[in-house]
Amino acid sequence: MAAFYHEVTGMEITYAEDEYAAITDGTTSIYFGRIAGREPVEWPSPAKQFHLDFRVPDVERAVADYLALGATRPEFQPGVTEEGTRWVVLRDPQGHVFCVCPETS
């Protein structure tokens, strides 16, 4: 998780063990702990463990980059309409849902 989110955010990995890891930019930190037996929740579902939104200059480019890092794109995409893409929902390699949003949203 730390390696994936390090690539997504550019935050430095400050701690990494099999069961626990952390990334930071010096102001904000995100900590990851392994939970035995944890199963990813279905999407859509209100049962998310956490949810991050990332604002990026180019949504489609960021989505392609994150998919190359191991994210997956679920079928249900409430932010993608006939009028265009407002945001894209992805799953990180452990199945946590996050959104990729334009900077101006």
Side-chain angles (χ1 to χ4, degrees):
M1 293 282 292
F4 176 81
Y5 283 105
H6 157 73
E7 292 294 331
V8 168
T9 65
M11 296 171 115
E12 179 184 351
I13 298 173
T14 55
Y15 190 81
E17 289 187 0
D18 287 342
E19 301 300 316
Y20 192 73
I23 61 174
T24 187
D25 65 3
T27 302
T28 302
S29 299
I30 302 173
Y31 295 85
F32 306 96
R34 187 179 308 275
I35 299 172
R38 180 199 161 270
E39 295 290 328
V41 297
E42 294 298 316
W43 171 249
S45 168
K48 303 177 284 220
Q49 286 87 22
F50 67 85
H51 183 91
L52 299 171
D53 289 342
F54 295 102
R55 295 185 183 276
V56 298
D58 183 335
V59 170
E60 291 306 320
R61 170 66 187 234
V63 166
D65 290 347
Y66 302 160
L67 292 173
L69 293 170
T72 57
R73 186 175 181 155
E75 186 174 323
F76 180 63
Q77 293 291 325
V80 179
T81 66
E82 290 180 14
E83 291 81 34
T85 298
R86 293 176 35 219
W87 73 86
V88 173
V89 177
L90 296 179
R91 287 183 176 272
D92 70 23
Q94 295 298 314
H96 296 282
V97 177
F98 67 96
C99 289
V100 184
C101 310
E103 287 180 325
T104 57
S105 68

